[in-house]
Amino acid sequence: MRVLVSGGAGYIGSHTVLALVEAGHDVVVVDDFSNSKPTVIARLESLSGVHVPVHAFDLTDVDKTNALFAVEEIDAVIHFAGLKAVGESVRRPLDYYRTNLDSTFALLEAMRRHDVTRLVFSSSATVYGERAPVPYIEEFDQLASSSPYGRSKVMNEQVLTDVTLATPGQRVALLRYFNPVGAHPSGRIGEDPQGIPNNLMPFIAQVAVGRRERLQVFGGDYPTADGTAERDYLHVMDLAEGHVAALEHLDAMPERVRAFNLGTGTGTSVLQLFRAFERAVGRELPYEIVGRRAGDLPAFWADATRAHEELGWRATRTIDDMCADTWRWQSQNPEGYPDGE
Ligand code: UFG
């Protein structure tokens, strides 16, 4: 298939571009580079050995999105593009709702006009909200979330469901990611957050490389084995392969809208991940336990049975793989991607 990857220069998008090419698909990227660098594309081309056509514009622009579909032959869309920082979304809710919904509206409109019926959407485990029983299962349907970012994912799922059911032939897979970490084993592409990292793994990696003094562990009094919060970390390469599996399964889905959890099915605590990272680096790293972060849940992980049974997908990489690959990326690129090379 010829697949349009929105946000293809971003963290998960870039790894998915490689997995798509590896699986024999053609890729077209659309990205406005608001949270990524063009260097990513050059590295994708050198790793994959193929030319990756790029359209650099903001997807919320309906006319440009339509024009893109007019010039490129597209068989399917994987939609990653959007704003994704939970804390920032609380301070700038309108930006989050506008960007994350308008981009979907523009894509759906262009897909309808150009008769493109296959869509894979980048959703999040945050849609289960704080009342869902753990492990999370896809049938839980009182979707909710505690942040504007998370609610923009819930709303997107609802919009995509309604529009898909009203559009003959259209199919959508809603992929609910747990906590993606890790990097491509080459060390050439990885996660490159701008400013102070919000998420645990990039923060630990920056402590290890000397960009941050110490990790602050948010909360040591959770009702978990070691008192720190537990999450379902999955390797970004497994996640990327999950997108390929979902894409290739779309036409065979018994229902035209289907949600899939992409996780390992196992919880790992903050301290367990930190210790694993120390093993990857080969030395002890500084940390301190501080108060809980507002809005954090104590523990959640995926029931990933559906993805295994229906997509034939399963996460295979371990926590040690995730740490080793993150460390390779971070130590080879201590300041992240260069502006040019
Ligand atoms: N943590 C620390 N110190 C840090 C950063 C994080 O102790 O410096 C802890 C957090 O408190 C949490 C765990 O590490 O217990 C994981 O935190 P992340 O920020 O890495 O991930 P979250 O589970 O909070 O967030 C993820 C996704 C969001 C999504 C959210 C809810 O990044 O997109 O899950 O599902 F909205």
Side-chain angles (χ1 to χ4, degrees), residues 233-250:
Y233 299 96
L234 84 155
H235 198 297
V236 67
M237 293 303 297
D238 279 326
L239 181 58
E241 289 162 13
H243 287 75
V244 178
L247 176 78
E248 293 178 347
H249 175 73
L250 276 176

Side-chain angles (χ1 to χ4, degrees), residues 126 149 179 198-200 216-218 229 231 233 270 293 296:
T126 194
Y149 157 75
N179 288 58
N198 299 303
N199 299 115
L200 179 62
Q216 291 195 320
V217 175
F218 298 141
R231 294 289 182 273
Y233 299 96
V270 174
R293 184 171 68 178
D296 275 348

